[in-house]
Amino acid sequence: MMGSKMKWSLKQNSEKGGWWYWSLFALVLLGVCFLSFYQLDAKYVDPYDEARHGVNAYEMFREGNLIESTYGYETDYYNLKPPLSMWGIMLGFLVLGKNVMALRAYSAVCYVILVASVGLFTKRNYGRLESLLAMGFLAINTAPFEAHMVRAGDADSLYVLLFTLAMLSMMEIPKKKTKLYWCGLFFALAFLTKSFHAGMIVVIGGLYLIFTGELKKLRLKEILFFGLSVVLPIGLWAVPRLFVDGMIFFKQMVFVDVLNRTSGTLNNNKQPFFWYTEYFLGTMSGKITVYLWAFVICVIGVVYFSKLFTKENYKKILGYVLWILVPYLSFSLVTNKLIWYMYPVTIPLLMCAGIVLGRLLKEKNIAIAVKAGLGICLSVLLIYYGKGELDTIKRQGPNDFQQFLTQVAKEYGDVTKQAYLALDEDAEGDSVQVVWAQQDVYLAEVYGDWICADGGEAGFFTSQSGVLFVRNESVERVKSAEEFIETGEEILVIEGENYTAFIK
């Protein structure tokens, strides 16, 4: 048989032509753009990560500050991430204006760049069909479209892009040593995005260099340039940050953002070791996930293409194995579980599924009928999970209070600069001070340029100028207050369906 003389390789270079590839490349990318940007500003602003990053970015944008992140115009020691993702949001403000779309646009752009980068890498190393299939699988990467990342104004989309670019560079180091410097640069930028989360890149890269023997081949000059590619970008932010409050921020990064969060001290999603496996490959999502299908395809590839596990392809295969297993095992060992910790792992899993499926469709020893069946199954998967993503997007919308707050802030933002909340009452019907939620702070600042003040109803009445938000059932109580009666003629009342705003 010819197979005994054939040189097996992960890449087939016999393809000719290219117009069809670039046409389909553009078509897939347009599909990803649509899923990333369609009704991007329709959903309510999420609390915690998205809202916090948004407030940080807006206050930095307003104050012309690129170094120190603030919340309520005070140094923020809760969101302890360096500011690269906030710069992305700030760029959104600059291009799109101050709104919710600007908060999320850079995340969507990052994912489109990620899919394009994976497509080009896969084409270069494996083939055109494999490239298109890998991009297709990434288009139905459902979890990052539904929570955090692609359609959210947080740090995850930029971080996963940089993580991916670092891994793609790492796997090309054996062919081109200068890729080591790119890997270092992408790690540095990932650190400036999500702090010590980026350490995963170092672990994977270090193991890869050791197991492939590339570490022994590095010369002193190459090691020095690699060090510079890491230190210089981080230093451009870290040194100026030291002049703000010394080592306080950096100490908090370690003790709060790493130790407390990973142990579950600051979060309460404590789960067992196999929680991520059950979520992404099991039934915790309520349906068969695309990740389970991708895993099955990869297993089939391991069995069918066992002949490819030769010294020639060892380094490429090792890269994917480390890329998947190191983050999976590391974050499974951590007590606190959050699904977006696994987002960097979804990229190589879906990539490999596309590569394996492409090779199966091009395999001469597989019957045409089987290939046709695989093609039909792939089409069904793309349509089913793509429609699921679109349905999720269409269901998302604003909540009542955020909608009312935005409307009032847009129209009366120049009337006053102080904003108060009195949305709750105690058993006796008296007003209870409400702490501003982070998502509402973002909307108040961006649309009204308001200072979100404490003090509730009492603070509003004692201020010279301000806006007070209450539920409609509390309107009469506010109007009957002595302070309102004394100054009632000076107070403008804006009534909504469920909430009312008093402005003076």
Side-chain angles (χ1 to χ4, degrees):
M1 293 179 62
M2 291 181 62
S4 59
K5 298 180 181 179
M6 186 181 298
K7 183 179 181 181
W8 287 85
S9 174
L10 283 174
K11 182 179 180 181
Q12 292 184 340
N13 294 308
S14 60
E15 297 166 306
K16 295 181 180 180
W19 65 268
W20 65 269
Y21 167 76
W22 292 113
S23 299
L24 291 174
F25 182 96
L27 186 63
V28 175
L29 211 57
L30 282 174
V32 174
C33 286
F34 176 75
L35 290 172
S36 300
F37 285 97
Y38 177 64
Q39 293 186 0
L40 186 59
D41 60 346
K43 183 186 175 184
Y44 59 86
V45 178
D46 272 317
Y48 305 111
D49 288 5
E50 179 175 64
R52 197 79 180 197
H53 278 80
V55 174
N56 291 156
Y58 175 74
E59 294 183 1
M60 294 172 73
F61 179 79
R62 186 180 183 277
E63 299 298 303
N65 174 20
L66 292 175
I67 304 301
E68 178 190 9
S69 55
T70 63
Y71 185 85
Y73 298 96
E74 299 289 339
T75 302
D76 191 1
Y77 292 117
Y78 179 83
N79 183 13
L80 293 156
K81 303 292 189 293
L84 191 60
S85 61
M86 299 160 204
W87 295 349
I89 299 172
M90 292 165 69
L91 182 60
F93 292 144
L94 194 64
V95 175
L96 301 173
K98 298 177 291 182
N99 49 53
V100 174
M101 177 67 79
L103 170 64
R104 297 167 176 162
Y106 100 100
S107 290
V109 169
C110 285
Y111 193 70
V112 173
I113 294 172
L114 185 154
V115 174
S117 300
V118 167
L120 295 174
F121 173 88
T122 311
K123 173 185 176 293
R124 187 166 62 247
N125 289 277
Y126 305 100
R128 292 170 181 152
L129 180 59
E130 291 87 344
S131 169
L132 295 172
L133 292 177
M135 293 172 67
F137 272 103
L138 289 174
I140 54 173
N141 190 3
T142 52
F145 277 95
E146 294 177 356
H148 276 233
M149 197 167 150
V150 181
R151 297 174 55 84
D154 51 44
D156 289 289
S157 197
L158 177 58
Y159 172 69
V160 175
L161 168 62
L162 295 167
F163 197 118
T164 301
L165 293 175
M167 295 295 99
L168 300 182
S169 299
M170 176 193 76
M171 289 191 286
E172 292 190 319
I173 290 174
K175 294 191 300 185
K176 195 173 183 180
K177 286 294 185 291
T178 54
K179 291 291 184 176
L180 177 68
Y181 314 143
W182 285 104
C183 193
L185 175 62
F186 292 132
F187 159 72
L189 295 177
F191 179 86
L192 290 174
T193 303
K194 286 204 75 170
S195 183
F196 291 102
H197 278 265
M200 207 61 63
I201 297 173
V202 177
V203 176
I204 297 170
L207 292 173
Y208 181 81
L209 292 176
I210 292 170
F211 292 153
T212 59
E214 294 295 325
L215 185 62
K216 296 179 181 179
K217 300 178 184 178
L218 295 179
R219 294 175 294 176
L220 179 60
K221 181 179 73 172
E222 293 168 338
I223 295 173
L224 290 175
F225 276 116
F226 170 73
L228 288 173
S229 71
V230 172
V231 173
L232 285 180
I234 296 176
L236 289 175
W237 165 76
V239 172
R241 190 65 180 80
L242 282 169
F243 287 96
V244 175
D245 51 8
M247 290 295 296
I248 296 176
F249 186 85
F250 299 98
K251 289 179 180 178
Q252 293 290 90
M253 284 173 67
V254 176
F255 291 108
V256 176
D257 207 36
V258 179
L259 300 179
N260 286 348
R261 294 190 199 278
T262 55
S263 66
T265 303
L266 297 184
N267 297 286
N268 57 6
N269 192 33
K270 295 183 179 181
Q271 300 291 346
F273 179 87
F274 288 107
W275 188 80
Y276 288 124
T277 305
E278 293 173 358
Y279 187 92
F280 286 95
L281 301 183
T283 58
M284 290 185 68
S285 64
K287 62 182 179 181
I288 297 176
T289 67
V290 66
Y291 311 107
L292 179 58
W293 290 116
F295 179 75
V296 170
I297 292 170
C298 290
V299 171
I300 293 172
V302 168
V303 175
Y304 188 85
F305 295 115
S306 57
K307 293 180 181 179
L308 292 179
F309 298 121
T310 62
K311 186 176 181 181
E312 177 188 359
N313 296 309
Y314 166 74
K315 293 180 180 180
K316 286 183 179 178
I317 296 170
L318 176 65
Y320 292 110
V321 171
L322 292 174
W323 188 356
I324 293 172
L325 286 184
V326 171
Y328 165 73
L329 294 174
S330 299
F331 286 116
S332 293
L333 287 169
V334 172
T335 304
N336 193 56
K337 303 288 195 301
L338 297 170
I339 62 170
W340 42 92
Y341 287 178
M342 284 293 107
Y343 285 176
V345 176
T346 66
I347 307 303
L349 179 62
L350 296 174
M351 274 183 68
C352 289
I355 294 167
V356 168
L357 193 56
R359 289 290 286 114
L360 288 171
L361 291 172
K362 289 159 66 173
E363 184 61 33
K364 295 180 179 179
N365 295 328
I366 296 179
I368 296 296
V370 175
K371 292 181 180 180
L374 288 174
I376 293 171
C377 290
L378 173 63
S379 300
V380 171
L381 282 178
L382 291 174
I383 293 171
Y384 176 76
Y385 289 104
K387 182 180 182 299
E389 289 177 356
L390 187 58
D391 289 343
T392 298
I393 292 168
K394 288 180 177 179
R395 287 195 299 268
Q396 296 171 339
N399 65 37
D400 290 345
F401 181 65
Q402 288 192 13
Q403 201 167 21
F404 180 67
L405 170 62
T406 300
Q407 176 188 341
V408 174
K410 284 181 178 179
E411 192 168 351
Y412 299 98
D414 57 346
V415 175
T416 181
K417 291 302 177 186
Q418 298 284 110
Y420 300 87
L421 289 181
L423 300 181
D424 291 338
E425 297 179 353
D426 59 20
E428 286 72 35
D430 295 325
S431 171
V432 175
Q433 180 178 329
V434 179
V435 177
W436 278 89
Q438 296 174 97
Q439 64 271 24
D440 300 333
V441 172
Y442 173 78
L443 296 170
E445 289 190 355
V446 166
Y447 288 109
D449 199 25
W450 289 334
I451 302 296
C452 296
D454 295 330
E457 191 176 323
F460 169 74
F461 283 125
T462 56
S463 67
Q464 292 185 344
S465 175
V467 55
L468 171 69
F469 291 93
V470 302
R471 298 184 190 276
N472 283 352
E473 52 265 33
S474 301
V475 170
E476 293 305 318
R477 190 203 69 238
V478 174
K479 287 183 176 180
S480 63
E482 182 179 345
E483 296 89 345
F484 183 90
I485 295 172
E486 292 177 355
T487 59
E489 294 182 359
E490 302 173 11
I491 296 178
L492 175 65
V493 181
I494 310 296
E495 294 184 359
E497 184 176 350
N498 297 302
Y499 300 92
T500 295
F502 295 89
I503 303 174
K504 67 171 183 175

